Amino acid sequence: MRLQSACRKVSFDVVSTAFSIMVGLLIVTLIMLTDRGARWVSGLNFSPGVNAQTQSSITTTDIALPSESTGVAGGTLAVRVFAPASRNGMRHPEGAPVVILAPGADNPGSLEAPVPRASGAIRISFLYPGGRDAATQRTSAGSYDYRGESSIAAMRDVILYAAGQLADSNGRRIGDVVPVPVQTSNIGLFGSSNGGNMVVAVLARHGMQLAP
């Protein structure tokens, strides 16, 4: 009986500790989003019917983003930028916020248009190092590490690009490749399923670098 009680207590302690760690990560993330002024997930509303647009009112731009995360000299990440075609399609009159997709499962990324209901925002999809898009055959340099340090660093660089702090392989920043003003200080990270872990990981690993 004592052994069974002890086992139950150990199991309960393990579960409690795991839960505490998860809650702690969420709290740390919230602190990073507020106290440091990094507005990565601020007030974006993706309600049905808001800023609904047809595909013809969206521009699509493929860029190659230089990134040390590839582990290859001169290596680039395959990035795709979806933007409103005109000011009429922007979510805010002063500019379009930016949404970056972290897809679920353990696949090496996607170049599909993320969050269709957020068409009033500039949306970014990308391939992690070593990733390949079957539809376009575009690739990111390097080897895929299944959401490890290289993948986390790649997402960091995509965020910095969205914030206007990094340029593509042609020397253009995000404001140079889209037809509308960009709210580079209003960036949302959309983590789908396992992609939510990537959002937490990139903020935990590189939060200081990402803070304005």
Side-chain angles (χ1 to χ4, degrees):
M1 291 297 293
R2 290 182 179 177
L3 178 59
Q4 291 177 351
S5 297
C7 289
R8 281 196 294 268
K9 183 179 185 302
V10 170
S11 298
F12 177 80
D13 289 344
V14 170
V15 172
S16 298
T17 301
F19 180 77
S20 298
I21 292 173
M22 292 176 65
V23 171
L25 285 173
L26 289 174
I27 292 173
V28 168
T29 303
L30 289 173
I31 291 173
M32 295 172 73
L33 293 176
T34 54
D35 291 353
R36 293 182 186 176
R39 296 164 55 195
W40 306 125
V41 198
S42 60
L44 297 173
N45 181 1
F46 304 140
S47 301
V50 174
N51 289 322
Q53 301 183 57
T54 62
Q55 191 61 33
S56 62
S57 61
I58 301 296
T59 65
T60 302
T61 306
D62 287 336
I63 70 161
L65 181 65
S67 175
E68 294 181 356
S69 68
T70 63
V72 177
T76 61
L77 301 172
V79 178
R80 179 167 288 176
V81 182
F82 303 85
S86 70
R87 287 176 172 268
N88 291 335
M90 298 188 311
R91 174 158 188 81
H92 307 301
E94 63 271 23
V98 186
V99 180
I100 301 170
L101 173 66
D106 64 351
N107 65 69
S110 168
L111 295 181
E112 294 182 359
V115 200
R117 290 175 179 170
S119 56
I122 294 167
R123 295 166 291 159
I124 297 179
S125 57
F126 68 100
L127 301 177
Y128 294 112
R132 175 183 294 273
D133 179 64
T136 64
Q137 297 303 305
R138 293 188 67 206
T139 61
S140 286
S143 300
Y144 186 44
D145 66 350
Y146 292 88
R147 311 296 178 97
E149 293 293 340
S150 295
S151 296
I152 295 170
M155 189 169 185
R156 171 205 63 200
D157 289 347
V158 173
I159 295 171
L160 291 173
Y161 171 75
Q165 297 181 32
L166 292 181
D168 66 16
S169 58
N170 292 319
R172 303 171 301 176
R173 298 182 187 272
I174 188 169
D176 300 322
V177 302
V178 298
V180 295
V182 186
Q183 290 186 310
T184 54
S185 63
N186 191 0
I187 300 173
L189 305 181
F190 187 91
S192 173
S193 186
N194 188 37
N197 295 323
M198 288 297 295
V199 171
V200 172
V202 72
L203 293 176
R205 292 284 191 183
H206 303 290
M208 293 298 295
Q209 186 175 355
L210 295 174

